[in-house]
Amino acid sequence: VGGAHELKVTDKGGRAGTVTLNLAERVLTLDPVEARVGTSVNVVGSGFPAANTAIGSVSTPTVSIKYTYGTTTATVATLTPDGSGNISGSFQVPLNASIPSTNTVKAAFIYMPTGGSISTNTTEVTHKVPSPSLAVSPIEGPVGTVVTINGAGFRTYSTVSTLKIGGIDVRPVPIPATDSEGGFSVTVLVPQSSEVGSVSVTATVASTTATSTYVVTPP
């Protein structure tokens, strides 16, 4: 682990000399720390075993980036440290991660300590999947107004199970579905039976719901 360690050298006569080695703490950072499923996240780390086979190391342990969501852990990247013990790369947020959710990203490497058994060392950080969102344009108008509803951050390639303005289903035919990035865009009419005032706009995809508002103005 990082921090101060004592290096001690003892000769055959029992004479000893010591020195303190300060090892770098292992650090792992994500960019961004919040991203939608299926999107790319950059990962950077330092303080890992350095690639120094040229000066005596038998091998350099690779670092596995593991993403844990719910009870599932997926290896999303495998990185090799450089000569300074730094790692860098990217991974894709698993498509099956819950929306929204707070998940764990671990950098793990396996090593064999002298005289010991195989061990695994991990460094852990948190990553979040945000809630889906809806955007309505324009944001107000009388009944019969043509509005565009854009959804983002839903489960990919999934049918829009509900799309309502003021509780009234406005899904067009054919029923829309999300794309490879979990988004959709539809153009609909504000229902004639809508009451004047602020009404909710809701969309549900794969049991995940996002909400926005629309203001129905007098004719």
Side-chain angles (χ1 to χ4, degrees), residues 144-163:
T145 299
V146 176
V147 297
T148 299
I149 302 175
N150 292 310
F154 290 94
R155 187 77 62 204
T156 59
Y157 300 118
S158 300
T159 301
V160 179
S161 54
T162 64
L163 181 61

Side-chain angles (χ1 to χ4, degrees), residues 4-217:
H5 295 264
E6 182 185 83
L7 172 63
K8 185 175 183 178
V9 179
T10 306
D11 67 10
K12 291 183 179 180
R15 293 175 291 268
T18 61
V19 66
T20 299
L21 298 179
N22 288 301
L23 301 185
E25 300 284 351
R26 272 184 289 277
V27 177
L28 188 68
T29 58
L30 304 178
D31 182 30
V33 295
E34 182 173 290
R36 304 190 187 281
V37 296
T39 58
S40 182
V41 175
N42 295 318
V43 56
V44 175
S46 61
F48 290 88
N52 56 8
T53 54
I55 56 174
S57 176
V58 176
S59 63
T60 301
T62 57
V63 178
S64 298
I65 306 300
K66 300 178 180 292
Y67 196 102
T68 300
Y69 53 98
T71 58
T72 302
T73 298
T75 300
V76 291
T78 301
L79 308 175
T80 301
D82 62 17
S84 299
N86 301 317
I87 58 172
S88 64
S90 63
F91 65 86
Q92 189 178 63
V93 180
L95 296 176
N96 290 329
S98 298
I99 305 171
S101 60
T102 299
N103 306 305
T104 301
V105 178
K106 293 182 180 179
F109 62 89
I110 298 174
Y111 65 99
M112 174 77 78
T114 303
S117 57
I118 293 177
S119 300
T120 301
N121 196 302
T122 60
T123 303
E124 180 179 312
V125 292
T126 298
H127 183 262
K128 293 184 178 181
V129 176
S131 299
S133 62
L134 281 184
V136 184
S137 179
I139 60 174
E140 65 176 26
V143 296
T145 299
V146 176
V147 297
T148 299
I149 302 175
N150 292 310
F154 290 94
R155 187 77 62 204
T156 59
Y157 300 118
S158 300
T159 301
V160 179
S161 54
T162 64
L163 181 61
K164 297 180 179 180
I165 296 179
I168 302 171
D169 191 355
V170 293
R171 287 180 300 169
V173 178
I175 302 298
T178 56
D179 57 22
S180 60
E181 297 182 351
F184 70 89
S185 180
V186 295
T187 300
V188 298
L189 294 175
V190 177
Q192 295 291 336
S193 56
S194 300
E195 296 182 358
V196 173
S198 179
V199 297
S200 64
V201 180
T202 61
T204 301
V205 177
S207 302
T208 302
T209 300
T211 303
S212 184
T213 57
Y214 180 81
V215 178
V216 181
T217 59

